[in-house]
Amino acid sequence: MNKKWILILIFLIVGCCCLFYVIETSSTVGNAITVVNKTVVSLPDEFSIENRENRYSTLLNKNTNEKITIKDLSKGDSALDNFKEKLIDLSKNPDINRITNSTLNIDNITAYKIDYQNITKENNSDLCDVYVFTCNHTFLIKLENYNNSTKLNENLDYVITHMTPDFKQSQD
C-alpha cells in the first residue's frame, strides 16, 4: 500500500470518530424536535407534535393525552412579570381551585411555576403554567392532563434543558 491510501484510511477513521462525537454530544441528533420562533426544542419520549405555528408548538402524548404547549411570549426577560400577572388573574377566577406557586432552578435557568385546577374542565386534572427565560426570550410552558406530578416535573425539566437557539435562523 502506498502512502496515499494510508492517508485516506487515517482521514476516514478520524472522520468517523468526529461523527460519533457529534452524535453523542448533540441534544437534537436522533431526537424529534420542534421549532418555537427561533428556538429548537427536543420532544420528550412518547410525545409528538400536535400543532405548530411560528410562535408556539403543542406536543401531545397520544397514550396518556398529556399535553405540553410551548409559547414564545416576547424577546427579553419578562418571566417574573408574566408570572405575577397570571397569579393575580387565577386568584380572581372563581373556577380555579388549589393554586400553588413555586420557583424552580433547572440547569441554572429560573422557572416560575403555577399549579392549579380548573373545576370547569371535564376531568379536573391539574394544570401547570411555567414562565421561563432562556435563549434571550420569555416562554410560557403549559402542561395539561397530567395525573402524576413526578412525570410532569420530568417532562418540564427535559423541555427546559433541551431548548437551544435555532442557528439556522438569524438570532435577536
Side-chain angles (χ1 to χ4, degrees), residues 90-116:
L90 288 173
S91 62
K92 291 179 182 176
N93 189 338
D95 296 332
I96 300 300
N97 221 1
R98 292 184 311 141
I99 301 171
T100 57
N101 62 61
S102 58
T103 303
L104 309 171
N105 188 353
I106 302 169
D107 203 29
N108 292 326
I109 298 171
T110 302
Y112 303 99
K113 180 179 171 189
I114 305 172
D115 294 302
Y116 60 98

Side-chain angles (χ1 to χ4, degrees), residues 11 16 27-28 70 78 87-88 138 143 156 158:
F11 279 119
C16 287
S27 64
T28 58
I70 305 164
S78 61
L87 203 53
I88 290 169
T138 299
L143 299 107
L156 177 63
Y158 186 87

Side-chain angles (χ1 to χ4, degrees), residues 27-46:
S27 64
T28 58
V29 173
N31 291 329
I33 60 170
T34 186
V35 178
V36 179
N37 200 4
K38 296 181 179 186
T39 305
V40 175
V41 182
S42 294
L43 277 60
D45 291 339
E46 300 178 0

